[in-house]
């Protein structure tokens, strides 16, 4: 038996290739939309991908089931409660799919979504009675369980789904042997839960003992626990969940349409017509020079999640990137179904060498200089764009907290006639925020280099210097 996990850090997403060496037959479970890695792995191992399974309609990314169907002819499998525009085989409790001496058995586990299933994986040569592993999708994570509050837009309440999730966990997953390996669809950083571990594999026994949501409690207590304090779901989640039900263009088809170079005058024309200029360079490069009115979401961070949070699905996107990275940006946008890219700026920022008046810069300030500024007669306003929980845990005295995901809606709370020093944890989100503020007409914005982490490292040095000055 072959069971390989593929982990995509940007989306904290795990997918799986399962195969039987003897027959050369393989299946892929919960694939990402760019599917070349599965095809290469199968080719290298002498396997043919004939099946693709979704544990549920994912909300945080667009699955690659249609891409694998087009590239390999693979059949698609969904939970029995699923409804989709494309042809698929429904899987109900106990349905099996044999890949030679490897058997996949579906168990219906509604809760995160109504149609959710988990996949039991048997190596029939070793033990035909007990599964080697269970692919749990978003039903059971390492250290957490799937949130039940993402389906309100289609009329299913969090409490109703929470009750289903309790039953699925207690009567089905916890009935498995302790040694069964647990392979979930997400890890730490995903918005599909609140306490996901950085581990990407565990066992039923370990989760039974240590997962907070699997401890003995009533259904009512469980529902209250798993519906409380969930992270804010990005606006694109509902869109992706619906897109995963639909027949749609493949990623290759979308990229072929999107990846063409635009001259500067074309980019500026599109901007005047409402297009979004997305600068995907690192924050430091963006601060050094960027097109006025562009939004910075760097490829070095949780790019897809923040793009889905900050960008409109209704307006075209023009990519501004270091030459050679345009395809990467478009592909990563495509992973969340943002296929409305109008093109990319030819030659990147070098195309503006002769038009410096089109270039804007963002002031950057170090922690020590900010400390001096805050002690001056005219201190800047400190804007903390982290989440409220982060702000409450540790913050700069007197700072104002507006999470970057809420900034456009709450920008009226900020003064335009005062300097604003914006920061996050390390500088990624603050660069997004600075670009948003500039677009909204704020001209006195500074970005704190290194964020709150740099501030925390700087404070002991300042305190030590103050003590030394006092002794002198």
């Amino acid at each position: 038996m072959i069971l390989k996990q593929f982990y995509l850090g940007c989306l904290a997403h795990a997918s799986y290739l399962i195969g039987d060496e003897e027959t050369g037959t393989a299946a892929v479970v919960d694939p990402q939309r760019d599917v070349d890695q599965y095809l290469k792995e199968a080719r290298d191992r002498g396997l043919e991908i004939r099946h693709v399974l979704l544990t549920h309609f994912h909300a945080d990314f667009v699955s690659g089931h249609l891409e694998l169907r087009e590239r390999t002819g693979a059949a698609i499998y969904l939970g029995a409660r699923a409804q989709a525009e494309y042809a698929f085989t429904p899987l109900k409790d106990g349905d099996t799919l044999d890949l030679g001496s490897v058997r996949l058995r579906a168990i219906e586990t509604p809760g995160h979504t109504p149609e959710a299933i988990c996949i039991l994986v048997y190596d029939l040569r070793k033990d035909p009675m007990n599964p080697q592993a269970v692919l749990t999708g978003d039903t059971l994570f390492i250290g957490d369980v799937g949130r039940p509050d993402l389906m309100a837009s289609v009329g299913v309440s969090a409490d109703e789904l929470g009750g289903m999730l309790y039953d699925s966990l207690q009567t089905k997953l916890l009935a498995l042997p302790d040694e069964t390996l647990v392979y979930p669809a997400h890890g730490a950083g995903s918005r599909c839960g609140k306490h996901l571990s950085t581990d990407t594999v565990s066992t039923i026994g370990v989760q039974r003992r240590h997962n907070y949501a699997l401890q003995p409690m009533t259904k009512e207590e469980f529902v209250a626990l798993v519906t409380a304090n969930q992270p804010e779901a990005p606006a694109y989640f509902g869109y992706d969940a619906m897109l995963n039900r639909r027949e749609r263009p493949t990623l290759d088809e979308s990229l072929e349409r999107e990846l063409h170079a635009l001259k500067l005058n074309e980019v500026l024309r599109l901007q005047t017509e409402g297009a979004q200029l997305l600068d995907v360079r690192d924050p430091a490069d963006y601060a050094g020079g960027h097109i006025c009115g562009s939004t910075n979401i760097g490829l070095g961070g949780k790019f897809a999640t923040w793009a889905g949070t900050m960008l409109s699905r209704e307006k075209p996107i023009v990519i501004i990137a270091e030459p050679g990275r345009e395809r990467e940006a478009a592909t990563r946008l495509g992973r969340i179904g943002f296929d409305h890219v109008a093109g990319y700026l030819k030659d990147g920022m070098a195309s503006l060498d002769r038009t410096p008046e089109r270039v804007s810069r963002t002031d950057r300030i170090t922690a020590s200089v900010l400390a001096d500024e805050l002690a001056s007669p005219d201190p800047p306003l400190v804007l903390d764009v982290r989440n409220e929980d982060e702000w409450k845990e540790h913050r700069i005295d007197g700072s104002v907290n507006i999470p970057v995901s809420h900034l456009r809606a709450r920008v009226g709370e900020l003064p335009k006639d005062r300097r604003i020093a914006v920061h996050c944890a390390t500088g990624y989100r603050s660069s997004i925020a600075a670009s948003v503020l500039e677009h909204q007409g704020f001209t006195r914005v500074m970005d704190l280099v290194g964020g709150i982490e740099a501030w925390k490292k700087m404070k002991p040095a300042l305190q030590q210097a103050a003590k030394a000055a006092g002794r002198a």
Side-chain angles (χ1 to χ4, degrees), residues 386-395 456:
R386 297 176 298 157
N387 295 330
E388 184 179 3
D389 289 345
E390 297 175 274
W391 178 75
K392 287 180 177 178
E393 182 177 347
H394 188 95
R395 60 183 179 270
K456 288 191 290 188

Side-chain angles (χ1 to χ4, degrees), residues 459-471:
K459 285 193 72 177
L462 287 182
Q463 292 167 352
Q464 186 175 3
K467 290 179 180 178
R471 287 194 298 270

Side-chain angles (χ1 to χ4, degrees), residues 28-270:
V28 178
V29 178
D30 290 333
Q32 64 190 63
R33 196 176 177 198
D34 42 322
V35 298
D36 284 347
Q37 61 184 338
Y38 312 114
L39 299 173
K40 181 181 185 303
E41 185 72 22
R43 184 169 59 250
D44 290 347
R45 291 180 176 268
L47 300 173
E48 181 182 353
I49 298 172
R50 297 181 183 175
H51 316 279
V52 55
L53 298 84
L54 302 188
T55 56
H56 64 291
F57 294 124
H58 293 272
D60 57 321
F61 69 96
V62 175
S63 302
H65 50 296
L66 299 187
E67 282 74 12
L68 283 173
R69 182 194 67 184
E70 294 306 306
R71 298 280 291 273
T72 69
I76 298 172
Y77 300 79
L78 305 172
R81 300 189 189 189
Q83 294 181 330
E85 293 178 356
Y86 45 83
F88 68 91
T89 299
L91 296 175
K92 61 182 183 301
D93 265 330
D95 283 350
T96 60
L97 178 62
D98 284 350
L99 318 174
S101 295
V102 176
R103 174 168 293 163
L104 308 182
R105 184 187 298 275
I107 52 174
E108 294 181 80
T109 52
H112 178 65
T113 63
E115 80 290 343
I117 57 174
C118 294
I119 308 297
L120 300 176
V121 184
Y122 295 80
D123 187 338
L124 301 180
R125 298 178 186 88
K126 291 184 177 180
D127 187 346
M129 301 304 296
N130 296 302
Q132 300 291 307
V134 57
L135 309 186
T136 55
D138 287 16
T139 299
L140 173 63
F141 298 127
I142 310 305
D144 204 352
V145 296
R147 61 190 296 178
D149 62 330
L150 296 180
M151 300 296 293
S153 61
V154 294
V156 187
S157 74
D159 285 355
E160 181 181 358
L161 281 172
M164 295 180 188
L165 183 61
Y166 179 86
D167 291 337
S168 294
L169 293 165
Q170 294 294 325
T171 65
K172 295 184 178 179
L173 290 179
L174 287 180
L176 297 172
D178 277 354
E179 61 271 18
T180 308
L181 294 169
V182 174
Y183 288 103
H186 290 294
S190 170
R191 305 279 185 93
C192 294
K194 54 186 176 180
H195 294 304
L196 282 73
S197 170
T198 55
D199 294 340
T200 59
V201 63
S202 183
T203 65
I204 289 291
V206 169
Q207 292 309 297
R208 192 193 309 277
R209 291 190 296 274
H210 299 296
N211 190 317
Y212 79 97
L214 301 185
Q215 303 313 301
M217 67 185 82
T218 66
K219 183 183 292 190
E220 291 72 22
E221 291 170 333
F222 174 86
V223 171
L225 183 65
V226 299
T227 55
N229 302 316
Q230 288 288 357
E232 182 180 11
Y236 77 91
F237 270 29
Y239 172 72
D240 278 15
M242 292 304 298
L243 202 57
N244 280 321
R245 294 169 165 83
R246 294 176 181 160
E247 186 73 49
R248 51 159 178 79
T250 65
L251 180 61
D252 286 344
E253 291 169 336
S254 295
L255 292 178
E256 184 177 357
R257 183 185 71 249
E258 297 169 353
L259 284 173
H260 61 276
L262 300 170
K263 294 181 180 179
L264 178 60
N265 63 333
E266 296 176 284
V267 170
L268 297 176
R269 175 183 58 79
L270 287 168

Side-chain angles (χ1 to χ4, degrees), residues 380-453:
L381 173 70
V382 178
L383 173 62
D384 188 328
V385 297
R386 297 176 298 157
N387 295 330
E388 184 179 3
D389 289 345
E390 297 175 274
W391 178 75
K392 287 180 177 178
E393 182 177 347
H394 188 95
R395 60 183 179 270
I396 298 175
D397 292 342
S399 61
V400 172
N401 176 231
I402 302 178
V404 65
S405 56
H406 298 172
L407 187 56
R408 282 199 181 95
R410 296 177 56 185
V411 73
E413 300 175 23
L414 299 172
K416 286 190 174 180
D417 58 353
R418 184 178 175 187
R419 291 180 302 155
I420 297 176
V422 60
H423 81 85
C424 60
T426 61
Y428 184 82
R429 286 173 286 177
S430 62
S431 186
I432 299 173
S435 67
V436 169
L437 291 174
E438 179 189 296
H439 193 251
Q440 296 293 324
F442 289 79
T443 59
R444 306 179 69 192
V445 177
M446 303 175 289
D447 188 1
L448 175 59
V449 177
I452 196 72
E453 294 303 318

Side-chain angles (χ1 to χ4, degrees), residues 279-290 295-301 303 320-322 325 328 332 349 362 364 427-428 431-432 447:
D279 193 318
V280 303
R281 296 174 299 147
D282 288 342
D285 294 329
Y286 177 84
H290 53 267
T295 299
N296 178 227
I297 305 175
L299 290 171
F303 172 74
I320 302 167
E322 294 288 350
R325 302 198 73 182
E328 177 188 354
R332 291 171 69 175
M349 286 300 296
T362 303
R364 283 161 65 84
Y428 184 82
S431 186
I432 299 173
D447 188 1

